[in-house]
Amino acid sequence: MRFVSTRGGETASLDRALVNGIAPDGGLYVPVQLPTFDPADFDRAGTIPQVAQVLLRPFFTDSALVEDLEPVLAETFSFPIPATALPEAGGHASLLELYHGPTAAFKDVGAGFLAACLTRLEGDETAPLTILVATSGDTGGAVAAAFNERPGMRVVVLFPEGRVSARQAHQLTCWSDNVLSLSVAGAFDDCQALVKAAMADSALAGRFRFSSANSINIGRLLPQSTYYADASLRHFRETGNKPGFIIPTGNLGNALACIMAREMGLPIGPIVLATNANRTIPEYFETLEWIPRASVQTLASAMDVGDPSNMERLRTIIGDADVLRDCLGVLSVDDDAIREGIKQDFTDFGFATCPHTATATHTWRQLDPELRSAHDWMLVATAHPAKFETIVEPLIGETVPLPAELAEILSRPSRAVSIGPDLDAVAAAMDEHFH
Ligand SMILES: *Cc1c(COP(=O)(O)O)cnc(C)c1O
């Protein structure tokens, strides 16, 4: 399989696309053509890694990793991704739990896969590859966890001081010597600007081999299609029905992975996107005009995106706007509705949901009754509520028990270097830490 930039030009191998992250022309890599499958192609695939092998093999045909696919996928899917039926919905809705990984959010899947691939492609103990990642909270923890202690790999995480939650901060700062955590006196945008500046600085780039692990890397999308394939196949085998999916959406990566799985022939029904008060995507579906905006802060902070970059991919892969309008619904859920959703979930289901997941459960309750009863629905749970306990616990009036993985991470010692928002400080901290 070859990959091409959303802005055209020459094709690249998967390995090049994984290492580059973003195409040289600033576009995003997409496969030149999606492979297609019949559900029967997966009859012998009973586990997620086995489903992933069938689904992802065509993408690896000319990759140096083609023989490594099995161990790469075993590492990526080292935790379960169950769909739990919601009895109150008469068996017609379930929660797809993407939060059983090391940092308790779905980003563990993409980060784990990218780490498994890049370590094999580029890991070099004499000249390590240095992954730079700017984070507003969730991504940096998943990337640090995925690359922690991998030979030949280093990570530098930059996060805005005082603007991430206490538990998020811990997940960004509790790793081994190959991870450097920089607490930047500034905003997320400053962190992102520093990553760009570091990669463009020839003196610094001469001393370190840089790569990035941002959310637009195709290596984050491909493995995410797998859990939609696995969940839909299971449901289809058991019931003969194609489930619909309701997906909390920010930068559109997770939803795009589901759309790609459906394009590839997996038994997936309607796909509905749930956004927070950032309305760029809902407005696009209403007006067919793409007008990026500055992001606004919400309770579902990992979805605070005003200019979702994967839209460029979606328009390339699915084609024109009419198709988009025909096949997707989208609802914007504001903070009041998120709070209501969390409370209602706790009452109805007997367990808490995180603020991101609550955009999906709220959207499910708001669906047109006819549409809701015409399909079985999978509500996508993107993070564990214990990650956002300061929001969730006052609403439900109870403590959310910590999952074991998260408890283990929070018990580790943590350390970060505080710096001002300038490149010399980043360079000095890196020299100090890595030499
Ligand atoms: C990143 C994230 C999202 C948004 O996912 P996108 O792929 O950016 O649409 C939703 N929920 C949680 C918990 C996240 O970390």
Side-chain angles (χ1 to χ4, degrees):
M1 176 70 70
R2 304 290 293 175
F3 292 79
V4 66
S5 163
T6 45
R7 300 180 191 172
E10 286 177 15
T11 63
S13 68
L14 174 64
D15 301 354
R16 187 82 340 254
L18 290 174
V19 172
N20 283 0
I22 193 156
D25 63 3
L28 280 62
Y29 287 110
V30 291
V32 289
Q33 192 183 11
L34 287 174
T36 52
F37 299 90
D38 186 274
D41 295 337
F42 297 88
D43 279 354
R44 295 157 60 103
T47 64
I48 290 204
Q50 288 166 354
V51 169
Q53 282 223 38
V54 177
L55 188 73
L56 300 186
R57 186 160 293 280
F59 296 99
F60 278 80
T61 43
D62 68 348
S63 165
L65 298 174
V66 65
E67 300 298 331
D68 290 327
L69 195 51
E70 194 174 333
V72 162
L73 294 170
E75 282 174 28
T76 307
F77 297 102
S78 60
F79 47 86
I81 303 186
T84 304
L86 300 171
E88 350 2 71
H92 293 295
S94 38
L95 199 70
L96 183 59
E97 299 175 9
L98 305 184
Y99 52 66
H100 294 285
T103 67
F106 81 89
K107 289 188 176 75
D108 285 324
V109 173
F113 180 80
L114 194 59
C117 290
L118 285 184
T119 303
R120 286 171 172 81
L121 285 172
E122 293 280 323
D124 180 341
E125 294 190 48
T126 50
L129 192 69
T130 303
I131 307 289
L132 294 173
V133 57
T135 185
S136 57
D138 269 359
T139 300
V143 169
F147 285 91
N148 190 45
E149 293 185 359
R150 284 194 181 262
M153 306 298 285
R154 292 168 170 166
V155 176
V156 180
V157 180
L158 296 91
F159 64 95
E161 184 150 357
R163 301 199 195 191
V164 300
S165 76
R167 283 186 183 169
Q168 276 177 329
H170 203 101
Q171 290 181 312
L172 294 168
T173 55
C174 66
W175 306 103
S176 297
D177 284 344
N178 74 322
V179 178
L180 169 63
S181 307
L182 297 178
S183 178
V184 178
F188 169 63
D189 291 339
D190 296 310
C191 299
Q192 218 164 16
L194 282 173
V195 166
K196 279 195 186 146
M199 296 186 88
D201 185 284
S202 51
L204 203 54
R207 273 182 288 144
F208 297 92
R209 288 169 66 221
F210 285 137
S211 185
S212 77
N214 56 22
S215 65
I216 44 90
N217 194 306
I218 189 76
R220 306 237 327 232
L221 269 186
L222 291 176
Q224 290 174 184
S225 289
T226 301
Y227 44 72
Y228 294 109
D230 177 70
S232 66
L233 285 164
R234 263 172 216 285
H235 192 80
F236 187 66
R237 281 186 200 125
E238 280 164 23
T239 66
N241 299 327
K242 297 180 178 186
F245 286 87
I246 304 180
I247 307 173
T249 297
N251 204 31
L252 207 53
N254 202 12
L256 181 56
C258 186
I259 294 165
M260 284 167 58
R262 189 171 65 179
E263 289 290 304
M264 288 190 274
L266 275 301
I268 292 172
I271 298 170
V272 178
L273 312 184
T275 71
N276 59 22
N278 288 277
R279 293 188 37 85
T280 307
I281 296 172
E283 280 170 10
Y284 171 74
F285 281 93
E286 282 160 25
T287 63
L288 294 185
E289 276 186 81
W290 184 245
I291 308 172
R293 302 183 185 284
S295 64
V296 298
Q297 258 190 344
T298 76
L299 293 173
S301 54
M303 292 158 55
D304 291 348
V305 183
D307 184 4
S309 48
N310 275 306
M311 193 65 190
E312 189 169 324
R313 260 196 187 114
L314 181 62
R315 295 162 103 181
T316 305
I317 293 178
I318 310 289
D320 66 64
D322 288 337
V323 182
L324 285 182
R325 223 170 26 173
D326 288 350
C327 66
L328 298 172
V330 56
L331 189 76
S332 163
V333 181
D334 65 19
D335 276 358
D336 285 341
I338 288 175
R339 285 192 199 92
E340 273 316 304
I342 292 170
K343 284 197 242 175
Q344 189 84 43
D345 290 346
F346 192 65
T347 310
D348 289 358
F349 308 150
F351 54 81
T353 46
C354 91
H356 312 81
T357 305
T359 66
T361 56
H362 175 81
T363 297
W364 172 67
R365 292 192 185 94
Q366 297 298 312
L367 282 183
D368 174 75
E370 229 168 87
L371 178 64
R372 192 173 53 216
S373 56
H375 300 276
D376 296 342
W377 292 95
M378 297 223 174
L379 319 180
V380 175
T382 51
H384 193 282
K387 272 191 102 156
F388 303 95
E389 85 287 3
T390 53
I391 297 167
V392 173
E393 289 178 352
L395 289 168
I396 64 170
E398 283 188 27
T399 312
V400 179
L402 271 178
E405 297 77 10
L406 204 50
E408 193 275 316
I409 282 178
L410 296 177
S411 72
R412 297 180 184 189
S414 86
R415 61 189 167 151
V417 178
S418 293
I419 60 166
D422 75 55
L423 188 57
D424 289 343
V426 174
M430 288 178 63
D431 283 330
E432 164 85 23
H433 188 84
F434 289 124
H435 289 280

